[in-house]
Amino acid sequence: MTENAQQEPPAPITELPTQYAPADVEGPLYERWVERGYFEADAGSDKPPYTVVIPPPNVTGSLHLGHAFEHTLIDALTRRKRMQGFETLWQPGMDHAGIATQNVVERELGKEGKSRHDLGREAFIERVWQWKGESGGQISGQMRRLGDGVAWSRERFTMDEGLSTAVQTIFKRLYDDELIYRAERIINWCPRCLTAISDIEVDYQEDDGELVSMKYGEGDDTIVVATTRAETMLGDTAVAVHPDDERYKHLVGKHIRLPLTDRSIPVVADEHVDPEFGTGAVKVTPAHDPNDFEIGRRHDLPAIAVMDEHAVITAHGPFQGLDRLEARSAIVAALRAEGRIVAEKRPYVHSVGHCSRCKTTIEPRLSLQWWVKVAPLAKAAGDAVRDGRVKIHPQEMEKRYFDWVDNLHDWCISRQLWWGHRIPVWYGPNGEIVCVGPDDEAPTGEGWHQDTDVLDTWFSSGLWPFSTLGWPERTESLAKFYPNSVLVTGYDILFFWVARMMMFGLYAMDGTPPFHTIALHGMVRDQFGKKMSKSFGNAVNPLDWMDKYGSDALRFTLARGANPGVDVPIGEDWVQGSRNFANKIWNATRFALMNGATVEGPLPDASAMSSTDRWILSRLNSVVAEVDAYYDDFQFAKLSDALFHFAWDEVFDWYVELSKTTFQAGGEPAEVSKRVLGEVLDVTLRLLHPVVPFVTETLWTTLTGGESVVIADWPADSGFRDADAEREIGTLQSVITEVRRFRADQGLQPGQRVPARLTLDGTALAAHEPAVRQLLRLQPEGESFTATATLPVAGVEVALDLSGVIDVAAERKRLAKDLAAAEKEKAQATAKLGNEAFLAKAPDHVVEKIRTRLAKADEDIARITSQLDRLPGA
């Protein structure tokens, strides 16, 4: 726990300052929540469990907008469930991030002029742990800034003792079940990091390369092949053609000369070859291409490696010792000199894999590695979704999931690193191989040694939903909180992390999947929909926005853009708008408290309430039901939008304003409305809390005197509805909105008072006349009142006396000028759209733009004509 967290928590705020200052509120509030243990989870509780694991961020990482987005969604879910009475566990922790962390520490050593080999394995590992203690895990502090309600006492690290035991246990079980094996296969190899890497650690990008077509063989036995990696031809062991390709049937089974070498290679027939692509013949290099490796296995071809781990040519001859790119140019030049280059295409843009850590071009390489046999595990992972034990949300993402798990290749799990879980296999002097579980004694004696490789980071993170709960021990926490209720994660790692958790969870936990629901979200992008990147200059540090606008503002912006499975655009203007919303909540609650809003005592009977009171309570319960439905469907954008419009539009802009005249008049109606306003604010703040926790905590505790909204009850729909009151207030809103629009059209200032006669008698709006006059700045008609404009709205009539208020002649002249401009615009657009020659040549977007201009002109003409008709003397 931090030093700050050990200090006495600050006293709760009992009075509201005139302005909301997030920086003064958020830090102390979060420490109070942690001090009081609100986020901790009791495995012995009788409450129903609700469990979510944090997708473990890398220990090398810091909070970025993607983290802030995902954490906001998870925090909203878990805060609501906690308020609903669930024993809620949001499990925190970090991933040791093998390659990334080793690279960071190696760079630090490089500054000292050293490498890891200068230190040796044990000393280097100690140095990594030292780095983790001093610099790693800064993201934990940033999570506190965001308001993450995680159970900090349960924080785990994928290299800690318990999780290391889990890794060793499942490796041993898989090995004993013959689901882990060691074999030579083609892997993704990084010549810079000097390790195999997983598919997810390969970034593909379009690179400028070269496509070289070259001639193998002599005379009638020549055949042309094309490649972007000419250097690998030194390892070719065949040329393959399709069995039905008539052009090459005479060559199948023959041997032809491999240029620049003293070898001849066979021509083989294989259905993998596409006869329509290129020349219909492909070079086969089993040691340096995954497809060629499979062809080689089918035809019993030798696999000749021609590069070492640094991607330097090892084949004997003039190219030995050259880097692969140097060798590529030299080999093409040598082939050209022999007259064997048929065609060269430069630049040839094609997709090339790069190491996601160091950006080095990946080299497919035949290597002896450890593998997981995934077929039975992947089938179980697919079946769990097909039979409904696990739901994927949104459902349309299921196809992508099945496309992946139904076609999984065996998984290379060994990495040539020092930082990570070392493979628990020992080799003996006479070729013995012993896999050691956590309760086994490792073999000792002369000639015995442990495998030097470590496991892929995804191997340990695949155990996360149950290893963090104490597995392989049958702990109380495992019994209570497994399986997880929901996994919230990005669709981009559906295939990697999610699939591995599914496979391992079903295997280790006797067929019980690791979670009931997989809720997938999109990626955060800039306001123009472009991927955020430092190289694009549009990357944003979320801490900067939190410093400037407050954590609630960032959280609300992210949640309001979160449609399931869809990317989320975000811009600073939107965060500023969310800050304004937080200020609106603050100011409205201050007004309510100043005017006596209270939560004391039961709600008055509906018969004692005004229609305004009954309307807002009816709307409140509808919103409670609506928000619940959206939460259950992971519709964060819709629930945030519903709360925004209810709070700002209906509560603050309508109910509070309509109630002001009631408060001013005093008496029993005012006391009733004060209690209703208190109820509405109480429930609204609780509904808002999971998304904007800080401002709602401050306001709710001040309003109610309660201990914390974190542990308050989640609002329930009481079932109260009043359709009559909703229709009445809807009509009232129409009247006020229409008159406001007319005032604005006539150029009246918002505060300018106008004499008016309201014909409300005999209508449901009669009781609202004081509020209507106050909201519309309408003063009673005097003896000299003349109705210069009459507005019939929603069955009532509002007559206004604008004489002396506006210059009618000047206003008529201005509107006439605007009308002429609109009619000219309409005429021009109509003429273009009636011109067949123009329509035949103009692009669709140009035609659509003109149609839009025409529609806008029609709207302007109708609006201006209406304003002219309403002017006095019209």
Side-chain angles (χ1 to χ4, degrees):
M1 191 173 290
T2 64
E3 181 180 345
N4 192 30
Q6 295 173 346
Q7 298 173 359
E8 185 67 24
I13 298 172
T14 56
E15 293 183 5
L16 294 178
T18 56
Q19 291 185 326
Y20 177 48
D24 297 338
V25 170
E26 293 174 351
L29 276 187
Y30 188 84
E31 295 306 329
R32 185 186 307 142
W33 292 334
V34 173
E35 275 289 310
R36 293 179 178 176
Y38 293 154
F39 305 139
E40 296 303 325
D42 180 6
S45 165
D46 292 333
K47 297 177 181 178
Y50 187 81
T51 316
V52 186
V53 294
I54 191 173
N58 288 352
V59 67
T60 58
S62 60
L63 194 72
H64 57 63
L65 272 178
H67 288 128
F69 173 55
E70 187 167 80
H71 290 201
T72 293
L73 305 188
I74 300 174
D75 197 40
L77 290 174
T78 52
R79 284 179 182 269
R80 172 176 175 257
K81 286 296 183 180
R82 191 177 293 112
M83 295 172 75
Q84 287 182 315
F86 286 76
E87 193 61 44
T88 303
L89 170 60
W90 183 9
Q91 173 66 53
M94 284 184 293
D95 193 285
H96 65 279
I99 294 178
T101 305
Q102 179 156 320
N103 281 348
V104 167
V105 177
E106 286 196 83
R107 282 197 296 270
E108 292 297 314
L109 285 174
K111 295 175 183 176
E112 302 170 16
K114 299 178 182 177
S115 74
R116 60 181 162 126
H117 300 285
D118 294 323
L119 272 65
R121 185 168 192 143
E122 289 188 11
F124 177 76
I125 297 300
E126 288 180 9
R127 182 69 176 261
V128 179
W129 279 106
Q130 179 185 344
W131 174 87
K132 178 188 179 291
E134 295 172 354
S135 306
Q138 61 174 312
I139 201 168
S140 295
Q142 295 165 344
M143 287 166 59
R144 292 171 179 263
R145 283 287 313 278
L146 191 64
D148 287 2
V150 299
W152 286 113
S153 69
R154 293 173 172 265
E155 186 174 13
R156 303 304 296 268
F157 179 54
T158 51
M159 285 286 286
D160 68 25
E161 184 177 353
L163 271 65
S164 295
T165 298
V167 168
Q168 193 173 354
T169 299
I170 202 163
F171 187 100
K172 171 70 172 171
R173 291 188 186 180
L174 289 164
Y175 181 86
D176 290 346
D177 287 343
E178 298 183 347
L179 292 172
I180 283 183
Y181 63 94
R182 196 178 189 219
E184 270 197 323
R185 295 280 183 84
I186 295 288
I187 46 89
N188 301 309
W189 180 264
C190 176
R192 157 61 183 80
C193 298
L194 298 180
T195 181
I197 64 175
S198 66
D199 291 337
I200 195 173
E201 291 162 326
V202 179
D203 291 337
Y204 287 91
Q205 66 185 48
E206 297 296 310
D207 283 1
D208 287 344
E210 60 179 348
L211 181 66
V212 178
S213 298
M214 47 197 182
K215 185 168 57 177
Y216 286 10
E218 306 290 348
D220 292 338
D221 292 344
T222 60
I223 195 166
V224 175
V225 299
T227 182
T228 58
R229 301 165 66 219
E231 68 278 9
T232 63
M233 60 89 60
L234 300 174
D236 286 358
T237 56
V239 171
V241 298
H242 193 275
D244 299 332
D245 195 331
E246 294 293 338
R247 293 172 295 176
Y248 302 116
K249 280 200 170 182
H250 68 289
L251 288 176
V252 173
K254 287 187 176 182
H255 281 66
I256 59 175
R257 181 185 166 225
L258 179 65
L260 308 182
T261 72
D262 58 1
R263 292 189 292 117
S264 64
I265 57 176
V267 177
V268 299
D270 195 281
E271 292 189 351
H272 169 76
V273 180
D274 180 1
E276 303 298 323
F277 182 78
T279 63
V282 296
K283 57 191 287 301
V284 181
T285 321
H288 292 281
D289 185 273
N291 294 321
D292 293 2
F293 178 78
E294 296 301 327
I295 294 176
R297 291 177 67 177
R298 287 193 289 271
H299 297 276
D300 198 25
L301 299 173
I304 301 174
V306 296
M307 277 180 258
D308 65 12
E309 65 270 23
H310 298 280
V312 170
I313 300 297
T314 56
H316 291 296
F319 311 109
Q320 186 175 12
L322 294 179
D323 172 79
R324 56 182 165 169
L325 298 182
E326 295 172 334
R328 181 176 302 172
S329 299
I331 286 170
V332 170
L335 290 168
R336 190 183 298 112
E338 287 192 4
R340 292 187 173 273
I341 297 298
V342 175
E344 295 179 73
K345 184 176 182 180
R346 296 189 186 88
Y348 178 72
V349 179
H350 62 134
S351 181
V352 178
H354 296 260
C355 174
S356 64
R357 301 299 176 188
C358 69
K359 311 309 176 187
T360 302
T361 299
I362 290 302
E363 189 63 45
R365 184 169 187 256
L366 185 63
S367 180
L368 183 63
Q369 302 284 346
W370 286 95
W371 303 81
V372 172
K373 186 184 296 182
V374 301
L377 303 175
K379 182 181 184 303
D383 290 346
V385 175
R386 286 188 169 96
D387 64 25
R389 281 175 290 158
V390 178
K391 305 288 186 187
I392 293 180
H393 187 88
Q395 190 174 1
E396 54 264 28
M397 287 287 183
E398 282 187 2
K399 183 181 183 303
R400 296 179 67 177
Y401 176 79
F402 292 136
D403 286 346
W404 180 257
V405 298
D406 293 348
N407 297 284
L408 270 178
H409 300 294
D410 285 0
W411 172 20
C412 176
I413 55 172
S414 46
R415 299 291 178 268
Q416 290 64 55
L417 304 170
W418 288 355
W419 173 244
H421 297 102
R422 195 164 174 182
I423 288 177
V425 171
W426 270 254
Y427 304 103
N430 298 312
E432 304 95 330
I433 299 178
V434 176
C435 181
V436 177
D439 299 323
D440 301 332
E441 289 290 333
T444 56
E446 186 176 351
W448 283 93
H449 65 280
Q450 186 178 358
D451 196 300
T452 57
D453 288 352
V454 301
L455 287 163
D456 178 12
T457 296
W458 295 99
F459 191 93
S460 52
S461 60
L463 315 181
W464 193 247
F466 51 94
S467 63
T468 53
L469 298 172
W471 187 90
E473 299 298 323
R474 294 289 170 173
T475 64
E476 190 178 29
S477 288
L478 188 65
K480 177 75 174 181
F481 296 113
Y482 187 93
N484 292 183
S485 306
V486 62
L487 174 74
V488 180
T489 191
Y491 62 69
D492 58 322
I493 56 173
L494 172 64
F495 317 127
F496 307 107
W497 185 47
V498 179
R500 281 149 174 70
M501 286 190 291
M502 286 285 283
M503 291 191 296
F504 281 165
L506 289 159
Y507 173 79
M509 297 300 293
D510 303 318
T512 302
F515 17 73
H516 297 300
T517 302
I518 302 168
L520 299 171
H521 59 73
M523 305 293 101
V524 178
R525 297 181 178 272
D526 71 12
Q527 60 189 324
F528 305 108
K530 190 174 181 180
K531 180 181 178 180
M532 286 193 171
S533 166
K534 289 181 180 178
S535 60
F536 295 157
N538 63 350
V540 174
N541 183 346
L543 294 175
D544 292 341
W545 281 352
M546 287 192 281
D547 288 342
K548 194 170 182 179
Y549 303 110
S551 298
D552 283 334
L554 177 64
R555 289 171 60 114
F556 192 72
T557 304
L558 291 166
R560 204 173 176 193
N563 291 297
V566 178
D567 288 346
V568 183
I570 184 172
E572 185 168 0
D573 288 351
W574 304 343
V575 184
Q576 186 175 352
S578 295
R579 188 272 314 272
N580 295 343
F581 179 51
N583 289 341
K584 183 78 170 181
I585 302 170
W586 183 272
N587 293 332
T589 306
R590 283 191 73 248
F591 168 84
L593 290 171
M594 291 167 58
N595 283 274
T598 180
V599 297
E600 295 297 324
L603 273 174
D605 189 80
S607 61
M609 296 180 189
S610 68
S611 57
T612 309
D613 295 330
R614 296 195 306 276
W615 161 72
I616 198 63
L617 289 175
S618 180
R619 287 293 305 127
L620 177 67
N621 281 285
S622 294
V623 169
V624 169
E626 188 179 2
V627 168
D628 274 333
Y630 285 145
Y631 262 116
D632 293 341
D633 199 35
F634 305 100
Q635 298 280 0
F636 296 97
K638 290 182 178 178
L639 72 89
S640 299
D641 214 46
L643 286 170
F644 174 87
H645 287 294
F646 175 70
W648 192 308
D649 299 342
E650 298 186 85
V651 178
F652 305 148
D653 280 358
W654 283 109
Y655 181 71
V656 168
E657 292 300 319
L658 289 171
S659 298
K660 284 181 178 179
T661 54
T662 306
F663 293 153
Q664 291 166 1
E668 185 60 23
E671 296 306 311
V672 171
S673 291
K674 289 175 184 178
R675 178 64 187 88
V676 170
L677 179 54
E679 180 75 9
V680 171
L681 286 175
D682 170 18
V683 173
T684 302
L685 291 170
R686 282 186 280 149
L687 288 173
L688 282 165
H689 173 72
V691 181
V692 284
F694 294 108
V695 67
T696 52
E697 170 81 340
T698 306
L699 296 175
W700 187 86
T701 53
T702 305
L703 172 70
T704 68
E707 180 184 339
S708 173
V709 71
V710 176
I711 54 173
D713 290 336
W714 180 253
D717 176 7
S718 71
F720 177 81
R721 300 290 191 280
D722 192 323
D724 290 338
E726 291 199 35
R727 278 193 295 270
E728 180 179 321
I729 300 304
T731 301
L732 179 63
Q733 291 171 326
S734 296
V735 171
I736 292 172
T737 300
E738 184 60 28
V739 176
R740 280 176 171 166
R741 183 180 295 117
F742 175 76
R743 287 178 56 106
D745 287 345
Q746 303 308 315
L748 297 177
Q749 295 300 314
Q752 192 171 359
R753 305 194 72 83
V754 178
R757 179 189 300 126
L758 305 182
T759 309
L760 305 177
D761 292 342
T763 73
L765 302 187
H768 298 286
E769 180 164 345
V772 171
R773 287 191 175 276
Q774 179 166 314
L775 290 173
L776 292 174
R777 302 296 189 267
L778 303 179
Q779 63 191 43
E781 68 266 35
E783 294 181 3
S784 60
F785 178 83
T786 301
T788 59
T790 302
L791 306 177
V793 185
V796 303
E797 190 174 270
V798 180
L800 304 174
D801 183 357
L802 300 180
S803 58
V805 178
I806 62 172
D807 184 336
V808 176
E811 185 65 11
R812 187 177 298 281
K813 184 176 180 181
R814 181 184 70 81
L815 290 172
K817 182 178 179 182
D818 291 345
L819 180 60
E823 289 174 337
K824 181 179 179 181
E825 175 74 1
K826 178 179 180 177
Q828 291 175 341
T830 302
K832 284 191 175 182
L833 293 174
N835 185 333
E836 293 296 335
F838 169 78
L839 293 176
K841 295 179 181 178
D844 289 345
H845 72 275
V846 172
V847 175
E848 185 58 34
K849 186 176 181 180
I850 294 172
R851 288 198 179 106
T852 302
R853 284 170 50 194
L854 178 59
K856 175 67 166 55
D858 281 334
E859 290 175 8
D860 289 344
I861 290 169
R863 175 180 55 80
I864 298 167
T865 301
S866 176
Q867 290 176 243
L868 283 166
D869 290 343
R870 289 175 171 181
L871 279 175

